[in-house]
Amino acid sequence: MSLRLGLVGHGRWGRNLERTLLTLPDVTVTVIARGGSRPPGLDGVLVATQSATHAETALPYIEAGISTFIEKPMATTVFDARRIEAIARRTGSLVFVGHIFLYHPAFLAALQLLPAMGDVRYLYCEGMNGQPRADSSVLWDWLPHDLSMALAILKREPESVTAWSLSGGDTPAAAVSKFQFGNIPVVCTTSWESLYPRRRTTVACQTATLVFDDKSEQRLTLYDRDGSITYPTFSDELPLTLEMKEFLNAVRSGKTDPAQLETGMAVVRAIAAAEESIRRNGQAVLVQ
């Protein structure tokens, strides 16, 4: 089945999406200007505009019943995320949220290893670079990665968060956030003010510690309590290729995946609560 896809947003990441899609069979891609008219006969659309415009860009396609991929985050307000959820459920449209690390072979290998490592004690996540954006705080750039992985590892949503701006102001360029998933803390350091890029998640468990480092030559490292260090193997397929294959399969099947909306909503609610905590000078805020 050949698919005709639209792409709204043709910046760096939008071009990555286009290049990846065009390596896959039976796919054509039409670039659409944001706010431009919708070409007829689309089987699906991908939204890769600035984060704060995701909802307004995606909603007309969801309303029209078109399968829609939204780059993370799904939205930058709980109100907009709920609008997407409500319209998707009413129209039966597929909504697929681009949490790319859920398709990273090293992370998928980590998920397979964790059950043998005993109870999870905590997660420590680091996401930073020197590439600030103008349309949102640093939280909306980096925390979707941390939170989507934490949701996959812990299989529950956070109940509360305390967060602090490291750079001043209510729209920080650097921040620390501590989410409570039951009795398990997930601490996230995010920054646009770092002179070196980092994307690392440390999972400390009862019998071992696992480090997923997307910027390291050894992306997955297992530290055992006996002092041994090993480097688990994983597929060399590109995460974006796996993600796009999954989206295309969903479009072709016509089946919606409730987990996509649930994860997207959970991430938006948690980040909105972190922003509220920053506005309250680090006061704990419930995730609602």
Side-chain angles (χ1 to χ4, degrees):
M1 174 184 174
S2 182
L3 295 180
R4 185 183 180 195
L5 303 177
L7 172 62
V8 189
H10 205 234
R12 181 185 63 84
W13 194 248
R15 293 191 297 274
N16 283 343
L17 290 171
E18 182 183 32
R19 280 192 297 268
T20 301
L21 287 166
L22 293 179
T23 67
L24 303 175
D26 301 319
V27 175
T28 61
V29 179
T30 301
V31 177
I32 306 167
R34 189 164 72 86
S37 59
R38 183 172 71 245
L42 287 181
D43 298 297
V45 68
L46 297 96
V47 174
T49 56
Q50 288 188 318
S51 297
T53 67
H54 284 179
E56 68 178 73
T57 304
L59 280 169
Y61 294 95
I62 300 170
E63 184 75 61
I66 295 172
S67 296
T68 304
F69 174 97
I70 307 174
E71 184 49 51
K72 63 83 182 168
M74 185 167 78
T76 54
T77 68
V78 174
F79 176 77
D80 280 341
R82 287 176 176 157
R83 289 170 65 206
I84 289 172
E85 180 184 40
I87 294 173
R89 296 195 187 282
R90 174 168 57 80
T91 62
S93 299
L94 166 71
V95 172
F96 193 110
V97 185
H99 294 124
I100 191 169
F101 283 104
L102 298 184
Y103 301 89
H104 197 300
F107 180 69
L108 295 174
L111 290 179
Q112 296 297 314
L113 293 167
L114 286 171
M117 295 168 53
D119 294 339
V120 176
R121 302 302 197 198
Y122 65 84
L123 273 65
Y124 179 56
C125 308
E126 300 164 275
M128 55 189 71
N129 61 21
Q131 300 170 12
R133 301 182 181 184
D135 67 316
S136 64
S137 75
V138 70
L139 303 183
W140 295 102
D141 188 15
W142 286 110
L143 284 183
H145 296 315
D146 300 338
L147 289 165
S148 60
M149 288 190 285
L151 289 164
I153 291 168
L154 302 174
K155 296 180 173 57
R156 63 183 298 168
E157 297 184 17
E159 290 87 20
S160 65
V161 59
T162 50
W164 304 267
S165 173
L166 300 178
S167 56
D170 294 341
T171 309
V176 173
S177 308
K178 179 185 177 186
F179 297 90
Q180 283 297 143
F181 287 71
N183 64 348
I184 301 173
V186 175
V187 178
C188 308
T189 301
T190 54
S191 178
W192 283 329
E193 298 185 336
S194 173
L195 297 180
Y196 67 98
R198 178 169 292 189
R199 172 55 270 164
R200 183 163 64 187
T201 297
T202 300
V203 188
C205 297
Q206 186 176 4
T207 64
T209 295
L210 191 60
V211 177
F212 167 50
D213 189 341
D214 192 47
K215 298 296 183 182
S216 171
E217 184 176 344
Q218 297 290 349
R219 285 187 166 83
L220 200 57
T221 306
L222 179 63
Y223 298 86
D224 200 276
R225 64 179 173 183
D226 65 6
S228 64
I229 301 173
T230 56
Y231 304 101
T233 59
F234 50 88
S235 162
D236 61 359
E237 192 158 12
L238 295 175
L240 188 55
T241 300
L242 290 173
E243 186 178 46
M244 289 298 97
K245 285 181 177 179
E246 188 76 11
F247 174 60
L248 297 182
N249 287 340
V251 174
R252 289 190 170 103
S253 73
K255 295 179 181 178
T256 60
D257 180 2
Q260 288 286 337
L261 277 173
E262 290 164 6
T263 298
M265 284 293 305
V267 166
V268 172
R269 285 195 297 265
I271 299 175
E275 286 197 319
E276 181 62 24
S277 178
I278 287 173
R279 286 192 288 270
R280 298 184 187 182
N281 296 314
Q283 179 181 337
V285 172
L286 295 177
V287 178
Q288 298 176 325

